Amino acid sequence: MPALNGLRFCLHTFGCQMNKHDSERVDGMLEALGASAVAAPEEADLVIFLTCCVREAADERLYGQVSSLRNLALRPNSTLGRRLIAVGGCIGQRDGEGLMETLPNVDIVFGTRSIASLPSLIEEALTKTTAVDIEAKGEGFSSALPSVREHQWAAWLPITIGCDNFCSYCIVPYVRGRETSRPMEDIVAESEGYVADGVQEITLLGQNVNSYGRDLYGSPQFAEILDAVAATGIPRLRFATSHPKDLTQEVIERFATLPNLMPALHLPAQSGSNTILKAMNRRYTREHYLELVRALREACPDIALSTDIIVGFPGETEEDFLETLSLVDEVGYHQVFTFIYSKREGTPAAAIDDPTPREVIQDRFDRLLKVVERHAYEENQKDLHSCVPVLVEGTSKKNKDILTGKSPKNQTVHFPIPAHRSVDQLLGTIVPVSIEEARTWYLSGRVVE
Ligand code: SAH
Ligand code: SF4
Ligand code: F3S
């Protein structure tokens, strides 16, 4: 690999946790080669974008940001004599070389499985002006690369990459490729390393962790991965995301048997209407989904459920939408990520015409938000006056005297810095907090001394 001594880079990351994890690897790899990270693009020789194209809004953000770099002066003492712009992630993978036609100031394009090529692409762009690599090489896991973690106490650990589900609205299978599982030994070895390093929380990642292992010899099950990673003694274990069609009773039972598996599950429903679920190619019914929720609550009565909902899928009627509203009401989620359907070229749903006016979809979206907020508030009330262990993540953006962190149920918890303790002492530790206030999006309280 080429040495990159003295090179300064600035990394902008959009999209899901998989991109955030890739971003930690890009950072680690470049720093290992002698480059250093800077926060502002004006101080950088190389600006890297790890992009997302799951919805149109994410796409547009990239165009604005790349274009605005055009007139930015070079940093004083720049070693390259020009500023390189590299676009990776899902837009890089989707558009490849074509991206340079839409955005002529882009110098390097790399794909979701070609992160390790970046150092040689930088070298190539410096000699040949531009460089592109969107080929999948090797196994494609960026986890073999060195990493600079966003937080020392938390680690994202991909167990699968890619997706084979082809939900009819979704572009991810086209830009992340076929589902590939990492061998169990690698996952366990990486987890053991984190535990030795003092990491408090591991989040296992995959577009659908529940289908882990189908491509591996002996077809190891996701529940076995949970057992093996939990056995490393990691204080907190989480995973995302779970496709309801593949969530097994074995995995559900782990919420009862593994004390370090946190009582929170993100289980995207997308819709509450069987007609729409079918058109989305989700391959489960509303009834099956509700049965999963029942089984989860039986295994772990206090489990906090969250979900993703798409409003305005082509052909969604008022009746379909009411089914979604009633599903959200019936489950009582802690948190719901709500999206308005966004047409993605190349997906099957993009071919379906939809006469539903924009205002009707916006009105449905607003009605959904009201139900979501009511339940988020009600669910948080259940923790009022209880004591919850909080993993401290930093100070509040609005008030430096207030610390913020996450409860086992993944709620945001705010509390004042206790007397005689410093922020540095508390960062990345788990402290007991007595909850005195429960709002829609957060809890607040005081550390129990
Ligand atoms: N693999 C994960 C996450 C996929 S992307 C999963 O299956 O849950 C995250 C969310 O974006 C999806 O759950 C879906 O709700 C939303 N999404 C995906 N494609 C979309 C589109 N075309 N329009 C609107 N929302 C979309
Ligand atoms: Fe997209 Fe469906 Fe795969 Fe999730 S499971 S990434 S929504 S195709
Ligand atoms: Fe976006 Fe790619 Fe993730 S499209 S949501 S960054 S897999």
Side-chain angles (χ1 to χ4, degrees), residues 54-55 169 207 241 268 270 308 310 339-342 344:
V54 77
R55 284 170 293 275
Y169 50 81
Q207 297 301 341
T241 303
Q270 313 297 1
D308 292 348
I310 297 176
F339 306 107
I340 287 184
Y341 169 76
S342 170
R344 304 284 69 201

Side-chain angles (χ1 to χ4, degrees), residues 167-169 243-244 267-290 307-329 331 333 336-339 341 364 368:
C167 302
S168 64
Y169 50 81
H243 196 305
L267 192 64
Q270 313 297 1
S271 168
S273 148
N274 283 336
T275 317
I276 296 297
L277 286 172
K278 192 148 198 272
M280 287 177 162
N281 191 30
R282 290 289 287 177
R283 289 175 278 168
Y284 54 84
T285 58
R286 171 198 179 89
E287 293 71 28
H288 179 71
Y289 187 94
L290 287 170
T307 200
D308 292 348
I309 298 286
I310 297 176
V311 178
F313 183 83
E316 181 189 73
T317 62
E318 175 65 15
E319 289 69 42
D320 292 321
F321 173 69
L322 290 176
E323 295 262 311
T324 297
L325 264 194
S326 80
L327 180 89
V328 169
D329 206 28
V331 176
Y333 295 102
V336 181
F337 298 89
T338 48
F339 306 107
Y341 169 76
R364 286 180 195 160
L368 174 62

Side-chain angles (χ1 to χ4, degrees), residues 11 25 47 96 101 106 110 127 142 254 339 418 425 430 440:
L11 195 48
R25 300 289 165 174
V47 183
E101 279 161 36
V106 168
F110 61 106
T127 50
S142 64
R254 295 311 187 269
F339 306 107
Q425 273 175 337
I430 297 175
T440 307

Side-chain angles (χ1 to χ4, degrees), residues 140-427:
F141 282 96
S142 64
S143 309
L145 300 169
S147 164
V148 174
R149 284 197 304 279
E150 182 183 345
H151 297 305
Q152 276 312 304
W153 58 85
W156 284 306
L157 200 168
I159 64 165
T160 65
I161 50 172
C163 181
D164 289 348
N165 290 310
F166 292 94
C167 302
S168 64
Y169 50 81
C170 184
I171 195 144
V172 172
Y174 305 90
V175 289
R176 291 273 168 177
R178 294 293 61 72
E179 186 176 282
T180 315
S181 305
R182 254 178 108 186
M184 174 137 49
E185 311 82 78
D186 290 6
I187 296 168
V188 173
E190 192 172 332
S191 305
E192 284 167 346
Y194 289 139
V195 172
D197 216 16
V199 168
Q200 300 289 313
E201 177 173 285
I202 291 176
T203 305
L204 304 175
L205 291 184
Q207 297 301 341
N208 175 17
V209 289
N210 296 324
S211 55
Y212 171 83
R214 283 181 192 167
D215 54 327
L216 295 178
Y217 178 73
S219 306
Q221 299 282 305
F222 177 54
E224 297 170 48
I225 294 288
L226 285 177
D227 291 340
V229 177
T232 62
I234 186 76
R236 289 183 168 197
L237 176 59
R238 301 184 189 275
F239 59 86
T241 303
S242 270
H243 196 305
K245 78 176 164 58
D246 298 313
L247 179 62
T248 61
Q249 186 58 32
E250 286 75 22
V251 169
I252 292 174
E253 280 161 16
R254 295 311 187 269
F255 282 102
T257 56
L258 299 175
N260 42 1
L261 181 60
M262 292 294 101
L265 178 67
H266 186 62
L267 192 64
Q270 313 297 1
S271 168
S273 148
N274 283 336
T275 317
I276 296 297
L277 286 172
K278 192 148 198 272
M280 287 177 162
N281 191 30
R282 290 289 287 177
R283 289 175 278 168
Y284 54 84
T285 58
R286 171 198 179 89
E287 293 71 28
H288 179 71
Y289 187 94
L290 287 170
E291 174 51 27
L292 292 174
V293 170
R294 192 204 56 73
L296 282 160
R297 293 214 162 115
E298 187 178 292
C300 179
D302 206 26
I303 196 164
L305 297 174
S306 57
T307 200
D308 292 348
I309 298 286
I310 297 176
V311 178
F313 183 83
E316 181 189 73
T317 62
E318 175 65 15
E319 289 69 42
D320 292 321
F321 173 69
L322 290 176
E323 295 262 311
T324 297
L325 264 194
S326 80
L327 180 89
V328 169
D329 206 28
E330 207 170 322
V331 176
Y333 295 102
H334 261 80
Q335 204 176 3
V336 181
F337 298 89
T338 48
F339 306 107
I340 287 184
Y341 169 76
S342 170
K343 181 174 172 172
R344 304 284 69 201
E345 286 310 332
T347 62
I352 313 173
D353 275 334
D354 188 24
T356 318
R358 188 83 200 166
E359 311 80 73
V360 171
I361 293 172
Q362 186 64 48
D363 176 62
R364 286 180 195 160
F365 186 80
D366 297 343
R367 281 149 69 203
L368 174 62
L369 276 193
K370 288 209 182 84
V371 179
V372 166
E373 285 179 15
R374 177 163 56 78
H375 280 289
Y377 180 81
E378 284 171 7
E379 289 306 311
N380 277 346
Q381 295 310 306
K382 294 179 183 166
D383 292 306
L384 197 56
H385 310 308
S386 69
C387 181
V388 300
V390 176
L391 175 56
V392 184
E393 293 182 336
T395 53
S396 152
K397 283 193 194 100
K398 288 187 203 140
N399 182 345
K400 293 279 163 265
D401 298 327
I402 300 288
L403 285 170
T404 161
K406 287 281 162 43
S407 73
K409 292 197 263 179
N410 219 11
Q411 296 141 301
T412 297
V413 185
H414 299 303
F415 54 96
I417 301 171
H420 317 300
R421 304 283 284 277
S422 73
V423 175
D424 287 344
Q425 273 175 337
L426 292 168
L427 272 187

